[in-house]
Amino acid sequence: MEQERFTVGELAALAGVSARTIRFYGKKGLLCPVAYSDNQYRQYDKSSLLQLQQILILKYIGFSLEEIVQIFQGQREMSLSELLAEQKRMLLEKREQLDQVISVVEKTQEYGSRDELKLPQLSELVKLVVGNQSANKSFGYYEKYGTKQQDWYPWLYRQLHVREGERVLDVGGGYGLVWRRSFFRIPPGVQIVVMEKARDQIDLLQGFVKENKKFLKKGTSFSFEQVDINQVDYGTEAYDCLVLLHMWPYIGDRAVFLDKAFRALKPWGRICANMNWRDYVVGLEGLLRGFSRELDIRFQCEKRQELMREIEREFKAHFPHTHDRIYENELRISDSGDLYRFLLDRGEVGRQIAGMGREFARYLDAYLKREGEVVIPSYARLMTGEKGK
């Protein structure tokens, strides 16, 4: 902080973000350099660091980049009550994550004390913890190294185009992050029905809604059903919008599900379903094969892309009037320890490098010192299918 001016790299280091993030905010007009050096390098000062702090805080509490631009340009009023309410919501989410882990431990103790800890209960408890850890770790990488950081759920919500008075079915709603991150934006009179198998996840989302109910607009409500989404019927012409987020791996028979979804929608109703993927071949093949020619992830990526093409064909067979929205992001990982842990969490990639230990870690150190960072493209695709008459 003693320096009067900072380079892009120095400002990034001070804020704990990547240099790519600084440049990206500059392109958006959010973080302009205060001067240029003789060789035309961007220069920043303490006011730049404060500006960056404001951007990161606004993104952390759920504002999109477009909304932040409007705030900085004075096109949008941001009330103190809204800001504080968003901050409280984020803190409640952190607390709920801890509460859920505590709940798992307490249930394990309860079963153990009654000598009732059978294999099925133990399996469910372990899956709950592992699932949370995996989701949190994956989100953490994007929070730290993703170009767009935490804009994902607000972007998803905007693509749903929820309108006043609509009835919405969220199939496998989980923690309801798409609703939490846009809680104050839900229009009046919207009825949201959340179907979820896990009782703990329902309880947490239900608790959040109860805690923040006063912020919902007039007539807007949530209801919850603990069901197996593969076993339940969704009714006939009951909903204006059906939401399916991160759920394709849990759908038993996609044709049966899509039939039920079609029947459940009102005339001109819509179904919104996402498919996420990362172009690991583009981002990682050179890195991995630079260490060993035996490391090959192309087959894994090809299998995943073929599965997505199959899902798309089935989706369009039921909903011919389909349009897509693409959310582009990328990871730019510059820390060798984080990169190593990220690779270990990547399924087949992790299995291939698991036994390579220190030799592979040293290779990553040398690679990042030479290249600076690894860039991994990431795309999210939201398909919206319309029922028609």
Side-chain angles (χ1 to χ4, degrees):
M1 294 293 292
E2 295 178 358
Q3 298 183 60
E4 187 176 356
R5 297 283 168 85
F6 313 118
T7 65
V8 170
E10 289 168 340
L11 182 63
L14 286 169
V17 299
S18 69
R20 171 68 177 175
T21 297
I22 303 295
R23 297 188 190 97
F24 180 75
Y25 291 157
K27 289 180 181 179
K28 290 289 186 179
L30 290 171
L31 190 64
C32 299
V34 297
Y36 289 87
S37 65
D38 293 338
N39 51 8
Q40 293 303 299
Y41 286 125
R42 298 178 182 88
Q43 292 187 327
Y44 303 87
D45 60 11
K46 290 181 180 179
S47 68
S48 307
L49 186 59
L50 291 173
Q51 180 90 338
L52 179 57
Q53 181 190 49
Q54 288 181 323
I55 295 169
L56 295 175
I57 288 174
L58 288 169
K59 284 192 68 61
Y60 182 78
I61 62 177
F63 287 96
S64 70
L65 281 178
E66 291 79 8
E67 290 170 324
I68 295 172
V69 169
Q70 292 175 358
I71 290 169
F72 281 10
Q73 292 177 348
Q75 298 173 2
R76 171 178 174 173
E77 294 292 330
M78 183 179 62
S79 70
L80 179 61
S81 62
E82 182 182 30
L83 179 62
L84 292 174
E86 291 272 8
Q87 288 176 325
K88 181 180 179 181
R89 173 182 58 74
M90 293 296 294
L91 291 171
L92 285 171
E93 284 186 18
K94 299 289 186 184
R95 186 177 74 183
E96 286 171 356
Q97 290 173 4
L98 290 174
D99 287 344
Q100 188 173 32
V101 175
I102 292 170
S103 174
V104 171
V105 173
E106 290 175 342
K107 285 187 176 181
T108 307
Q109 287 179 317
E110 181 182 348
Y111 286 134
S113 66
R114 300 198 306 261
D115 197 26
E116 294 178 0
L117 192 58
K118 310 298 183 185
L119 185 59
Q121 287 98 348
L122 180 59
S123 174
E124 288 299 315
L125 293 171
V126 172
K127 286 178 182 177
L128 181 60
V129 173
V130 171
N132 286 342
Q133 287 178 335
S134 177
N136 290 338
K137 280 193 289 187
S138 189
F139 187 76
Y141 292 125
Y142 279 89
E143 185 178 41
K144 188 172 183 180
Y145 295 109
T147 301
K148 292 190 176 179
Q149 296 176 315
Q150 292 194 10
D151 191 40
W152 163 238
Y153 282 106
W155 179 87
L156 262 183
Y157 173 79
R158 292 193 295 274
Q159 310 316 307
L160 301 180
H161 296 293
V162 178
R163 294 181 282 270
E164 182 174 348
E166 287 194 325
R167 194 159 188 257
V168 180
L169 174 62
D170 187 349
V171 179
Y175 300 113
L177 290 176
V178 70
W179 309 115
R180 293 173 186 235
R181 298 292 168 85
S182 299
F183 202 68
F184 308 95
R185 300 176 177 88
I186 303 173
V190 175
Q191 300 175 50
I192 300 170
V193 180
V194 178
M195 289 185 176
E196 170 59 53
K197 183 178 180 180
R199 183 72 247 175
D200 289 342
Q201 295 187 16
I202 290 177
D203 289 343
L204 288 172
L205 179 54
Q206 203 167 17
F208 174 86
V209 172
K210 183 178 180 181
E211 180 90 19
N212 295 276
K213 191 173 182 179
K214 59 186 175 184
F215 297 110
L216 286 175
K217 294 183 174 63
K218 184 178 180 180
T220 296
S221 64
F222 282 78
S223 60
F224 303 88
E225 298 181 20
Q226 185 183 5
V227 294
D228 183 336
I229 61 171
N230 289 301
Q231 303 299 323
V232 69
D233 188 79
Y234 305 139
T236 302
E237 296 189 0
Y239 300 97
D240 300 281
C241 179
L242 191 149
V243 179
L244 185 78
L245 302 179
H246 312 294
M247 290 302 296
W248 290 116
Y250 307 101
I251 301 296
D253 186 319
R254 291 192 296 270
V256 170
F257 166 76
L258 289 167
D259 281 339
K260 292 193 296 184
F262 187 89
R263 290 197 305 272
L265 289 173
K266 298 177 182 179
W268 305 110
R270 64 199 181 280
I271 176 174
C272 302
N274 72 314
M275 295 193 299
N276 300 347
W277 73 96
R278 297 159 186 83
D279 202 344
Y280 289 139
V281 172
V282 173
L284 296 179
E285 186 175 36
L287 169 72
L288 295 175
R289 291 175 72 82
F291 178 75
S292 170
R293 302 294 295 179
E294 295 180 1
L295 291 175
D296 190 355
I297 60 172
R298 287 173 295 181
F299 180 67
Q300 177 191 9
C301 292
E302 288 168 2
K303 282 180 60 179
R304 180 170 175 80
Q305 291 193 5
E306 177 54 37
L307 173 62
M308 290 189 295
R309 286 191 288 269
E310 185 178 319
I311 291 173
E312 179 184 5
R313 287 193 295 268
E314 295 173 358
F315 189 89
K316 289 185 175 180
H318 286 79
F319 298 93
H321 304 290
T322 297
H323 62 268
D324 296 344
R325 295 289 185 273
I326 302 296
Y327 179 90
E328 296 187 26
N329 199 356
E330 61 184 9
L331 284 172
R332 290 182 169 260
I333 303 180
S334 54
D335 180 271
S336 59
D338 281 348
L339 179 57
Y340 186 53
R341 286 184 286 273
F342 174 82
L343 294 172
L344 284 174
D345 291 335
R346 302 280 76 78
E348 180 62 28
V349 176
R351 285 189 285 275
Q352 291 188 51
I353 69 170
M356 299 177 179
R358 292 183 180 179
E359 185 181 358
F360 186 72
R362 287 194 294 267
Y363 166 74
L364 292 181
D365 282 334
Y367 184 94
L368 289 178
K369 284 178 182 177
R370 183 176 70 252
E371 302 294 335
E373 61 185 6
V374 170
V375 181
I376 305 169
S378 176
Y379 310 90
R381 179 183 181 188
L382 187 76
M383 300 187 297
T384 299
E386 296 178 353
K387 182 174 181 176
K389 291 184 180 179

